[in-house]
Amino acid sequence: MIAIPRQKPTFRFAPSPNGTLHLGHALSASLNFDMALEAGGRFLLRIEDIDQARCTPEFEAGIFADLAWLGLDWEKPVRRQSEHVAEYQAALHTLIARGLVYPAFLTRGEVKAKVAAGEAGGKPWPRDPDGTPLYPPDDRERSDTERRRLLESGLKHAWRLDISAAVATVGQPLHWRESGDGDRGEILADPAAWGDVVLSRSDAPSSYHLSVVIDDASQGVTHVVRGLDLFRATSIHRLLQSLLGLPEPLYHHHRLILGDDGRKLSKSLGDTGIAEWRRRGLSPAELRRRIGL
Ligand code: GLU
């Protein structure tokens, strides 16, 4: 009999080193670690530092220190997105060559003005699940000649996925398998709700969406465990996985930890970090209890 090799269950925690880790990160990292341990699988740490303008080595060092203090141990070396730009660019270029991605030249100000003008008539402009207005159709509708002319002029641009063309190319409804704290089971993906998402910007070679699906596939991630705030983004991830022929992981979107005011914790809002609790003398076990583990 031929033995079919089974992939070891592989989990990852993927923070961005653009701030200090807070209690929500402690929950996410610990859940990944605990689930990997229980499944006899692997626990990976990935540093999502594609946005070099906001990420620093000091924040990265802080992540390592906080996770080690929590008692977590991860495989080395860690993957850093900034070291894999060529892979993201290669994927982007295959999508451009297939006519699924187009150069987007509108500035933030121009987009704002178009949305305001569109809403002046009283009809709300369509928005994505995060509340951001969908990108206007102008750039998608340009002729090839016009696109070439603008590209050759050196005008700054991003690359956006033509969501209707991408959905049509896949040609069948996409789903994912979910075991988290919100809806569970077979979830129907709705990538069109996001509009023409950015895959690459002039100042960041790859977007979160593009890098995350490539990284998960390259690292052999079988279980994506992350916060419920990314539940709906999974629709875009499933679409990109399908377009790029990447395997489909299982998903588990866990509860979020809210601040005293009911807001989602955020690095940028200066919410109490793991390091601060540590300085106040809390033990790792006490911190785990605090976040309901
Ligand atoms: N880097 C993302 C964050 O810090 C997490 C990405 C993911 O888990 O898919 O929110």
mmCIF file of all heavy atoms in Angstrom, residues 12-16 18 25 28 46 48 208 212 216 224-227 229-230 237 267, ligand 1:
data_model
loop_
_atom_site.group_PDB
_atom_site.id
_atom_site.type_symbol
_atom_site.label_atom_id
_atom_site.label_comp_id
_atom_site.label_asym_id
_atom_site.label_seq_id
_atom_site.Cartn_x
_atom_site.Cartn_y
_atom_site.Cartn_z
ATOM 1 N N ARG A 12 0.074 29.597 12.510
ATOM 2 C CA ARG A 12 0.991 30.741 12.537
ATOM 3 C C ARG A 12 0.377 31.943 13.226
ATOM 4 O O ARG A 12 -0.830 32.161 13.197
ATOM 5 C CB ARG A 12 1.444 31.098 11.124
ATOM 6 C CG ARG A 12 0.633 32.084 10.272
ATOM 7 C CD ARG A 12 -0.836 31.825 10.167
ATOM 8 N NE ARG A 12 -1.512 32.561 9.130
ATOM 9 C CZ ARG A 12 -2.160 33.732 9.304
ATOM 10 N NH1 ARG A 12 -2.209 34.295 10.480
ATOM 11 N NH2 ARG A 12 -2.762 34.310 8.292
ATOM 12 N N PHE A 13 1.230 32.729 13.885
ATOM 13 C CA PHE A 13 0.827 34.031 14.400
ATOM 14 C C PHE A 13 1.596 35.044 13.567
ATOM 15 O O PHE A 13 2.801 34.885 13.365
ATOM 16 C CB PHE A 13 1.173 34.144 15.893
ATOM 17 C CG PHE A 13 0.901 35.500 16.467
ATOM 18 C CD1 PHE A 13 -0.380 36.052 16.405
ATOM 19 C CD2 PHE A 13 1.904 36.234 17.085
ATOM 20 C CE1 PHE A 13 -0.635 37.316 16.933
ATOM 21 C CE2 PHE A 13 1.649 37.490 17.611
ATOM 22 C CZ PHE A 13 0.383 38.026 17.539
ATOM 23 N N ALA A 14 0.884 36.058 13.038
ATOM 24 C CA ALA A 14 1.504 36.921 12.025
ATOM 25 C C ALA A 14 1.349 38.408 12.342
ATOM 26 O O ALA A 14 0.602 39.122 11.678
ATOM 27 C CB ALA A 14 0.879 36.603 10.665
ATOM 28 N N PRO A 15 2.051 38.887 13.364
ATOM 29 C CA PRO A 15 1.901 40.302 13.731
ATOM 30 C C PRO A 15 2.724 41.239 12.837
ATOM 31 O O PRO A 15 3.694 40.817 12.210
ATOM 32 C CB PRO A 15 2.456 40.343 15.155
ATOM 33 C CG PRO A 15 3.511 39.274 15.165
ATOM 34 C CD PRO A 15 3.015 38.192 14.229
ATOM 35 N N SER A 16 2.305 42.494 12.793
ATOM 36 C CA SER A 16 3.081 43.527 12.108
ATOM 37 C C SER A 16 3.880 44.295 13.158
ATOM 38 O O SER A 16 3.299 44.748 14.147
ATOM 39 C CB SER A 16 2.154 44.512 11.400
ATOM 40 O OG SER A 16 1.497 43.872 10.350
ATOM 41 N N ASN A 18 4.621 47.189 13.929
ATOM 42 C CA ASN A 18 4.389 48.631 13.814
ATOM 43 C C ASN A 18 3.818 49.191 15.110
ATOM 44 O O ASN A 18 3.202 50.250 15.137
ATOM 45 C CB ASN A 18 3.458 48.938 12.626
ATOM 46 C CG ASN A 18 2.129 48.215 12.749
ATOM 47 O OD1 ASN A 18 1.838 47.620 13.789
ATOM 48 N ND2 ASN A 18 1.319 48.261 11.722
ATOM 49 N N HIS A 25 -3.469 40.473 20.839
ATOM 50 C CA HIS A 25 -2.384 39.695 20.226
ATOM 51 C C HIS A 25 -2.006 38.518 21.127
ATOM 52 O O HIS A 25 -1.693 37.430 20.646
ATOM 53 C CB HIS A 25 -1.138 40.553 20.010
ATOM 54 C CG HIS A 25 -1.353 41.685 19.037
ATOM 55 N ND1 HIS A 25 -1.363 42.997 19.426
ATOM 56 C CD2 HIS A 25 -1.558 41.683 17.706
ATOM 57 C CE1 HIS A 25 -1.570 43.766 18.368
ATOM 58 N NE2 HIS A 25 -1.697 42.994 17.309
ATOM 59 N N SER A 28 -4.464 35.817 20.443
ATOM 60 C CA SER A 28 -4.281 35.208 19.132
ATOM 61 C C SER A 28 -3.047 34.290 19.119
ATOM 62 O O SER A 28 -3.109 33.150 18.648
ATOM 63 C CB SER A 28 -4.112 36.317 18.089
ATOM 64 O OG SER A 28 -4.590 35.888 16.855
ATOM 65 N N ARG A 46 5.327 34.752 11.964
ATOM 66 C CA ARG A 46 5.647 35.471 10.721
ATOM 67 C C ARG A 46 5.592 36.965 10.998
ATOM 68 O O ARG A 46 4.634 37.440 11.600
ATOM 69 C CB ARG A 46 4.642 35.109 9.637
ATOM 70 C CG ARG A 46 4.901 35.836 8.345
ATOM 71 C CD ARG A 46 4.143 35.196 7.215
ATOM 72 N NE ARG A 46 2.751 35.535 7.191
ATOM 73 C CZ ARG A 46 1.758 34.651 7.084
ATOM 74 N NH1 ARG A 46 1.994 33.363 7.022
ATOM 75 N NH2 ARG A 46 0.515 35.052 7.037
ATOM 76 N N GLU A 48 5.008 40.459 9.659
ATOM 77 C CA GLU A 48 4.363 41.100 8.501
ATOM 78 C C GLU A 48 4.832 42.555 8.395
ATOM 79 O O GLU A 48 4.149 43.484 8.820
ATOM 80 C CB GLU A 48 2.839 40.969 8.628
ATOM 81 C CG GLU A 48 2.420 39.504 8.711
ATOM 82 C CD GLU A 48 1.104 39.175 8.020
ATOM 83 O OE1 GLU A 48 0.187 39.990 8.026
ATOM 84 O OE2 GLU A 48 1.024 38.052 7.463
ATOM 85 N N TYR A 208 -1.458 43.593 2.137
ATOM 86 C CA TYR A 208 -1.702 42.543 3.127
ATOM 87 C C TYR A 208 -2.354 41.327 2.466
ATOM 88 O O TYR A 208 -1.913 40.189 2.666
ATOM 89 C CB TYR A 208 -2.587 43.105 4.253
ATOM 90 C CG TYR A 208 -3.319 42.037 5.022
ATOM 91 C CD1 TYR A 208 -2.604 41.102 5.778
ATOM 92 C CD2 TYR A 208 -4.702 41.929 4.969
ATOM 93 C CE1 TYR A 208 -3.264 40.098 6.464
ATOM 94 C CE2 TYR A 208 -5.370 40.928 5.656
ATOM 95 C CZ TYR A 208 -4.649 40.019 6.395
ATOM 96 O OH TYR A 208 -5.296 39.017 7.062
ATOM 97 N N VAL A 212 -0.426 37.763 2.391
ATOM 98 C CA VAL A 212 -0.870 36.769 3.376
ATOM 99 C C VAL A 212 -1.187 35.426 2.705
ATOM 100 O O VAL A 212 -0.844 34.364 3.239
ATOM 101 C CB VAL A 212 -2.056 37.321 4.204
ATOM 102 C CG1 VAL A 212 -3.391 37.118 3.519
ATOM 103 C CG2 VAL A 212 -2.128 36.696 5.570
ATOM 104 N N ASP A 216 1.030 32.108 3.569
ATOM 105 C CA ASP A 216 0.384 30.926 4.158
ATOM 106 C C ASP A 216 0.671 29.699 3.295
ATOM 107 O O ASP A 216 0.948 28.618 3.810
ATOM 108 C CB ASP A 216 -1.127 31.154 4.323
ATOM 109 C CG ASP A 216 -1.451 32.074 5.502
ATOM 110 O OD1 ASP A 216 -0.602 32.204 6.404
ATOM 111 O OD2 ASP A 216 -2.543 32.668 5.518
ATOM 112 N N VAL A 224 -5.537 28.711 9.761
ATOM 113 C CA VAL A 224 -5.386 30.148 9.989
ATOM 114 C C VAL A 224 -6.275 30.525 11.174
ATOM 115 O O VAL A 224 -7.499 30.444 11.099
ATOM 116 C CB VAL A 224 -5.784 30.955 8.738
ATOM 117 C CG1 VAL A 224 -5.826 32.443 9.054
ATOM 118 C CG2 VAL A 224 -4.805 30.671 7.597
ATOM 119 N N VAL A 225 -5.627 30.877 12.277
ATOM 120 C CA VAL A 225 -6.347 31.256 13.496
ATOM 121 C C VAL A 225 -6.051 32.736 13.746
ATOM 122 O O VAL A 225 -4.902 33.106 13.953
ATOM 123 C CB VAL A 225 -5.868 30.391 14.692
ATOM 124 C CG1 VAL A 225 -6.553 30.821 15.979
ATOM 125 C CG2 VAL A 225 -6.125 28.914 14.406
ATOM 126 N N ARG A 226 -7.066 33.578 13.669
ATOM 127 C CA ARG A 226 -6.859 35.027 13.821
ATOM 128 C C ARG A 226 -8.170 35.662 14.265
ATOM 129 O O ARG A 226 -9.195 34.981 14.357
ATOM 130 C CB ARG A 226 -6.381 35.612 12.484
ATOM 131 C CG ARG A 226 -7.373 35.406 11.363
ATOM 132 C CD ARG A 226 -6.805 35.839 10.024
ATOM 133 N NE ARG A 226 -7.758 35.585 8.945
ATOM 134 C CZ ARG A 226 -7.449 35.645 7.653
ATOM 135 N NH1 ARG A 226 -6.220 35.947 7.278
ATOM 136 N NH2 ARG A 226 -8.361 35.420 6.734
ATOM 137 N N GLY A 227 -8.156 36.961 14.513
ATOM 138 C CA GLY A 227 -9.319 37.638 15.096
ATOM 139 C C GLY A 227 -10.502 37.744 14.144
ATOM 140 O O GLY A 227 -10.340 37.727 12.917
ATOM 141 N N ASP A 229 -12.057 40.217 13.388
ATOM 142 C CA ASP A 229 -12.000 41.424 12.547
ATOM 143 C C ASP A 229 -11.549 41.090 11.124
ATOM 144 O O ASP A 229 -11.745 41.890 10.214
ATOM 145 C CB ASP A 229 -11.095 42.493 13.175
ATOM 146 C CG ASP A 229 -9.722 41.979 13.567
ATOM 147 O OD1 ASP A 229 -9.577 40.752 13.794
ATOM 148 O OD2 ASP A 229 -8.780 42.786 13.627
ATOM 149 N N LEU A 230 -10.951 39.906 10.928
ATOM 150 C CA LEU A 230 -10.492 39.532 9.581
ATOM 151 C C LEU A 230 -11.406 38.499 8.918
ATOM 152 O O LEU A 230 -11.105 38.001 7.832
ATOM 153 C CB LEU A 230 -9.045 39.010 9.646
ATOM 154 C CG LEU A 230 -8.023 40.123 9.955
ATOM 155 C CD1 LEU A 230 -6.657 39.545 10.289
ATOM 156 C CD2 LEU A 230 -7.917 41.092 8.779
ATOM 157 N N HIS A 237 -9.178 36.499 0.400
ATOM 158 C CA HIS A 237 -8.089 35.510 0.460
ATOM 159 C C HIS A 237 -8.466 34.254 -0.321
ATOM 160 O O HIS A 237 -7.655 33.691 -1.045
ATOM 161 C CB HIS A 237 -7.730 35.196 1.920
ATOM 162 C CG HIS A 237 -7.330 36.432 2.672
ATOM 163 N ND1 HIS A 237 -7.181 36.480 4.021
ATOM 164 C CD2 HIS A 237 -7.051 37.679 2.215
ATOM 165 C CE1 HIS A 237 -6.830 37.706 4.381
ATOM 166 N NE2 HIS A 237 -6.757 38.449 3.298
ATOM 167 N N LYS A 267 -3.048 48.977 18.331
ATOM 168 C CA LYS A 267 -1.689 49.414 18.661
ATOM 169 C C LYS A 267 -1.611 50.930 18.637
ATOM 170 O O LYS A 267 -1.003 51.555 19.469
ATOM 171 C CB LYS A 267 -0.704 48.889 17.623
ATOM 172 C CG LYS A 267 -0.446 47.418 17.688
ATOM 173 C CD LYS A 267 0.555 47.059 16.607
ATOM 174 C CE LYS A 267 0.574 45.584 16.330
ATOM 175 N NZ LYS A 267 0.861 45.275 14.956
HETATM 176 N N1 GLU B 1 -0.713 41.028 10.269
HETATM 177 C C1 GLU B 1 -2.113 40.994 10.566
HETATM 178 C C2 GLU B 1 -2.375 41.809 11.807
HETATM 179 O O1 GLU B 1 -1.437 42.130 12.536
HETATM 180 C C3 GLU B 1 -2.639 39.587 10.804
HETATM 181 C C4 GLU B 1 -2.779 38.836 9.539
HETATM 182 C C5 GLU B 1 -3.422 37.472 9.643
HETATM 183 O O2 GLU B 1 -3.407 36.841 10.706
HETATM 184 O O3 GLU B 1 -3.902 37.007 8.619
HETATM 185 O O4 GLU B 1 -3.508 42.159 12.044
#
